[in-house]
Amino acid sequence: MTKQIWLNLPVKEVAKSKAFFSKIGFSFNEEHDTPNSTCMVVGEGKFVVMLFEESLFASFSQNKLTDTQTSSEILISIDAESKEEVDELAKKAAEAGGNVFALPAESQGWMYGCAFADLDGHRWNVLFMDFSKLS
């Protein structure tokens, strides 16, 4: 049976992507680093996101890469513990060179979130969900 799931993302430059995600607070399992990839660990559940340089990613995906400037193949959503954490992550993403394309705001009366694109255009959604307000 499946024990774990991880996400693989293509990036232009592993070192620049690693620096970006470090600045916004993500960590790395450097035991799995290679010159063309790195192992990012997200959240308490230690969800693994592997970042592969585009040529390596394309070699094993055997498919054309998505142009993240004109289309999206995935929206990666992560939770926050508070509205303040959403605000802080949006600020860190912008300061690290990302594009905050949806500023922090309330949604549907029970969610507060923002969305940003990383250096390679992958889209991330950050949400604080107050289930006590869900009707």
Side-chain angles (χ1 to χ4, degrees), residues 30-119:
E30 295 181 345
E31 292 178 14
H32 299 291
D33 279 8
T34 74
N36 299 319
S37 67
T38 190
C39 177
M40 184 166 67
V41 181
V42 180
E44 292 175 7
K46 298 185 179 183
F47 187 85
V48 172
V49 179
M50 293 297 299
L51 305 177
F52 291 98
E53 289 197 353
E54 289 178 340
S55 59
L56 180 58
F57 184 93
S59 74
F60 57 74
S61 70
Q62 298 184 13
N63 211 351
K64 181 180 167 186
L65 298 181
T66 298
D67 178 355
T68 58
Q69 299 303 309
T70 61
S71 64
S72 296
E73 184 174 50
I74 189 170
L75 174 63
I76 305 157
S77 296
I78 56 177
D79 69 337
E81 293 184 17
S82 66
K83 291 179 179 182
E84 294 77 19
E85 188 176 359
V86 171
D87 293 341
E88 184 65 23
L89 196 52
K91 180 181 174 189
K92 286 180 180 180
E95 289 173 351
N99 172 29
V100 178
F101 63 87
L103 294 173
E106 296 268 349
S107 175
Q108 302 177 32
W110 63 282
M111 292 187 290
Y112 183 83
C114 72
F116 67 90
D118 63 27
L119 299 180

